[in-house]
């Protein structure tokens, strides 16, 4: 049901949404713009469902730990689902698109939680995806900042695919 294969060829993944591991490998969650439904026909949160399955089936949960110097309250308020755990506690990068304008949504690890920052390999993969998808490359992530990117520029410059 889920694709847990690692991809490193941008030509195989540029039309997909997914996660990027610390080594720059991409994991396909779904095709960009694809609406995934559950058995009752409701649209489901594909990144959280994929992350939940991945955490259960492919990760050694015994290695799950928080940064002991971080605020426990901050960690609890930040981690609101399996995707957030994969991002902040295991250092993965989230790559998705706004469902209306298909603008990129990128979430990077917050170093205050488990000392993870986006790696150079992750940034390289994101940059390659951005170039292939004709997305902005003048974002805080590519300028070395630890900040999520939520497609904040003018919405009129994007067209629905």
């Amino acid at each position: 049901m889920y694709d847990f294969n690692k991809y490193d060829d941008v030509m195989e993944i540029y039309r997909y949404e997914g996660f990027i591991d610390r080594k720059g490998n991409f994991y396909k969650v779904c095709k960009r713009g694809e609406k995934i439904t559950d058995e009752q026909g409701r649209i489901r949160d594909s990144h959280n469902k994929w992350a939940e399955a991945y955490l259960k089936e492919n990760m050694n949960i015994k290695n799950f730990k928080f940064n002991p110097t971080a605020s426990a309250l901050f960690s609890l308020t930040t981690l609101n689902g399996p995707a957030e755990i994969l991002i902040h506690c295991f250092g993965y990068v989230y790559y998705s698109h706004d469902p209306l304008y298909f603008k990129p949504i990128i979430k990077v690890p917050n170093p205050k939680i488990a000392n993870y920052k986006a790696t150079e390999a992750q940034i390289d993969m994101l940059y390659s995806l951005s170039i292939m998808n004709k997305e902005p490359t003048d974002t805080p992530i590519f300028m070395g900042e630890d900040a999520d990117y939520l497609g904040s520029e003018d919405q009129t410059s994007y067209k629905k695919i």
Side-chain angles (χ1 to χ4, degrees):
M1 178 171 183
Y2 295 104
D3 183 353
F4 296 134
N5 295 308
K6 298 176 185 181
Y7 296 90
D8 60 5
D9 183 355
V10 177
M11 294 304 292
E12 290 184 60
I13 61 171
Y14 78 96
R15 293 189 181 267
Y16 284 85
E17 300 188 348
F19 289 97
I20 304 169
D21 71 14
R22 306 223 10 99
K23 294 179 180 177
N25 296 306
F26 189 89
Y27 294 84
K28 295 178 182 178
V29 170
C30 63
K31 284 192 174 186
R32 191 170 69 181
E34 180 180 36
K35 292 190 178 21
I36 299 176
T37 58
D38 61 16
E39 295 81 30
Q40 290 78 34
R42 296 175 298 209
I43 295 176
R44 65 184 179 126
D45 180 352
S46 53
H47 276 76
N48 268 319
K49 292 294 184 187
W50 186 94
E52 181 179 14
Y54 185 78
L55 286 167
K56 286 179 180 176
E57 296 177 29
N58 292 308
M59 300 214 57
N60 184 357
I61 301 300
K62 289 181 251 174
N63 290 332
F64 183 83
K65 59 187 174 192
F66 287 97
N67 176 0
T69 62
S71 162
L73 181 60
F74 177 75
S75 297
L76 290 173
T77 59
T78 303
L79 304 175
N80 58 10
E84 296 286 333
I85 292 169
L86 199 58
I87 296 164
H88 300 297
C89 297
F90 292 101
Y92 283 61
V93 170
Y94 174 103
Y95 179 74
S96 186
H97 292 82
D98 174 90
L100 184 58
Y101 293 100
F102 293 99
K103 294 169 28 167
I105 298 171
I106 301 168
K107 295 182 181 182
V108 295
N110 182 334
K112 292 179 182 176
I113 296 174
N115 285 334
Y116 286 116
K117 294 175 70 171
T119 65
E120 188 174 326
Q122 288 171 317
I123 299 300
D124 288 347
M125 178 58 80
L126 280 173
Y127 191 81
S128 297
L129 284 168
S130 295
I131 296 295
M132 288 295 297
N133 289 320
K134 298 178 174 76
E135 297 169 347
T137 56
D138 59 347
T139 64
I141 291 170
F142 298 123
M143 304 301 172
E145 296 178 30
D146 293 324
D148 294 341
Y149 177 70
L150 306 175
S152 59
E153 64 280 328
D154 180 21
Q155 294 179 352
T156 59
S157 66
Y158 285 85
K159 294 182 182 173
K160 219 173 174 179
I161 59 170

